[in-house]
């Protein structure tokens, strides 16, 4: 489903937005069919319950235009629009350090399209890096079920080069510069084990 | 304006939500009439522009019930409800450290009502403290225009005691345990100077 903003930009509703509207779409068979977002949310719940980290997905930003305030019942938003996020979707704290990341998936098998990240997110990542925050992207190749952590510095570098270079990151580069994250049951995507190995000195 | 949730809980729209709906309410005369939220947002923009810190307010969480996807135009949310946030409103990174806080104001002059904080927020603050994050509340006494930073540990302690004790924190306690934040022009509420003095060893 592709929708157009008044500015002519296409809006493709996220798996998550559609689930909010109709639960019918969220039936899953094991790990197959689970969106990356759902898997990360479940992993974050695990981390929270075990006291490992406090990481949440930010709510989708909406522009509210019209609200009804009926007597003796809840305020109802009658007109609102999806807004483009000015930051990444996930942030929180792990062992005192600030963690910030974006998660995206592609059906491609050999490269990751850079159009998955927009300018504001890339700028935000640069700002977080300047503040010595830990910042990265989780990239899933959904058809082959592989997830990689790629540090924001590499991602931003590819993103800024795309005008004169490739519009996607070759998978071979992601394998070389990033870190594979194994799939598990608890947590589903144990990205913090990888974060600990990369960013924390032992 | 007081609205009731289906669960019978009153919903009082925030200054910010009302502004989104009608800009008529947001006329301000100097600092008077500026909500604490607006002042903090402006301070955060200043910190971001100066490369001092990356701190954002999280979007208001909404439960989306109905979305229209008209052809050739933007998706329109036709029915949605305000949800209670499960975390604090602000977080981000300052010198590599995770910063997390809630901002509230009262018209009272001698004490700060604890009903401004709900259970999920207090629990979230406890979780952040366990992860060695920097966590606090910014409390404004709006009629006398004084703002204090109170560490989450003190706030949580008062909150959990309220069942058998006072339902508000006496201002004298906030003065003794907290830290006054001066009002300025740039930034309006320079809470990070205070954070640096309290939490960072020089």
């Amino acid at each position: 489903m592709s929708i157009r903003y008044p500015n002519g930009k296409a809006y493709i509703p996220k798996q998550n937005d559609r689930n909010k509207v109709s639960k019918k779409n969220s039936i899953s068979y094991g790990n197959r069919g689970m969106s990356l977002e759902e898997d990360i949310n479940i992993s974050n719940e695990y981390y929270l319950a075990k006291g490992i980290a406090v990481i949440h997905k930010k709510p989708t930003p909406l522009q509210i235009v019209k609200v009804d305030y009926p007597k003796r019942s809840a305020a109802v938003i009658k007109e609102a629009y999806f807004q483009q996020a000015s930051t990444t979707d996930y942030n929180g704290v792990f062992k005192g350090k600030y963690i910030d990341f974006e998660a995206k998936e592609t059906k491609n098998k050999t490269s990751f399209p850079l159009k998955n990240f927009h300018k504001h997110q890339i700028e935000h990542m640069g700002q977080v890096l300047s503040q010595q925050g830990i910042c990265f992207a989780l990239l899933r190749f959904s058809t082959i079920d592989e997830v990689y952590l790629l540090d924001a510095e590499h991602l931003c570098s590819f993103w800024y080069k795309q005008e004169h270079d490739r519009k996607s990151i070759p998978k071979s580069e992601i394998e070389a510069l990033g870190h594979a994250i194994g799939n598990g049951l608890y947590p589903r995507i144990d990205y913090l084990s990888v974060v600990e190995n990369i960013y924390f000195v032992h």
Side-chain angles (χ1 to χ4, degrees), chain A:
Chain A
M1 222 172 345
S2 170
I3 293 101
R4 305 224 147 256
Y5 275 111
N7 61 12
K9 263 190 114 175
Y11 173 78
I12 292 111
K14 289 183 208 163
Q15 186 67 33
N16 177 262
D17 296 334
R18 271 180 275 146
N19 285 348
K20 278 180 199 150
V21 178
S22 161
K23 279 283 172 194
K24 278 183 291 184
N25 296 326
S26 68
I27 298 161
S28 69
Y29 305 92
N31 198 39
R32 277 200 287 170
M34 270 287 204
S35 74
L36 180 57
E37 181 178 317
E38 287 168 310
D39 280 343
I40 290 171
N41 288 346
I42 291 169
S43 301
N44 287 342
E45 281 169 27
Y46 172 90
Y47 292 140
L48 189 64
K50 293 277 178 187
I52 294 167
V54 183
I55 296 169
H56 290 278
K57 183 178 182 293
K58 292 188 186 179
T60 307
L62 300 177
Q63 189 199 0
I64 299 170
V65 175
K66 196 180 155 211
V67 186
D68 272 10
Y69 298 105
K71 276 183 190 168
R72 276 181 289 278
S73 62
V76 190
I77 296 150
K78 292 299 234 178
E79 187 185 348
Y81 298 90
F82 293 101
Q83 283 183 310
Q84 204 173 55
S86 55
T87 66
T88 48
D89 273 356
Y90 299 88
N91 75 355
V93 58
F94 175 51
K95 299 185 172 195
K97 296 283 276 177
Y98 178 75
I99 305 286
D100 190 301
F101 66 96
E102 186 61 45
K104 294 287 182 192
E105 50 195 328
T106 183
K107 284 179 180 164
N108 288 13
K109 286 175 191 172
T110 56
S111 70
F112 207 97
L114 285 159
K115 68 168 193 284
N116 280 289
F117 299 91
H118 59 73
K119 191 163 169 277
H120 285 135
Q121 290 179 321
I122 296 292
E123 283 170 356
H124 171 76
M125 287 181 166
Q127 290 160 350
V128 170
L129 291 176
S130 310
Q131 281 299 319
Q132 295 115 55
I134 293 171
C135 192
F136 53 87
L138 295 181
L139 308 174
R140 177 188 268 170
F141 292 90
S142 51
T143 46
I144 48 177
D145 204 15
E146 291 181 17
V147 181
Y148 294 86
L149 183 153
L150 185 67
D151 188 85
E153 210 167 304
H154 295 303
L155 176 67
C156 294
S157 161
F158 281 111
W159 197 90
Y160 284 114
K161 275 190 302 187
Q162 67 178 314
E163 212 179 313
H164 308 288
D165 206 340
R166 289 170 299 231
K167 305 279 182 254
S168 63
I169 314 174
K171 186 161 182 277
S172 57
E173 295 265 31
I174 293 171
E175 285 167 2
L177 299 167
H179 304 265
I181 297 172
N183 281 320
L185 263 182
Y186 303 107
R188 262 171 212 282
I189 299 178
D190 190 12
Y191 64 93
L192 283 182
S193 299
V194 176
V195 164
E196 191 167 11
N197 282 330
I198 306 171
Y199 298 102
F200 289 77
V201 185
H202 292 280

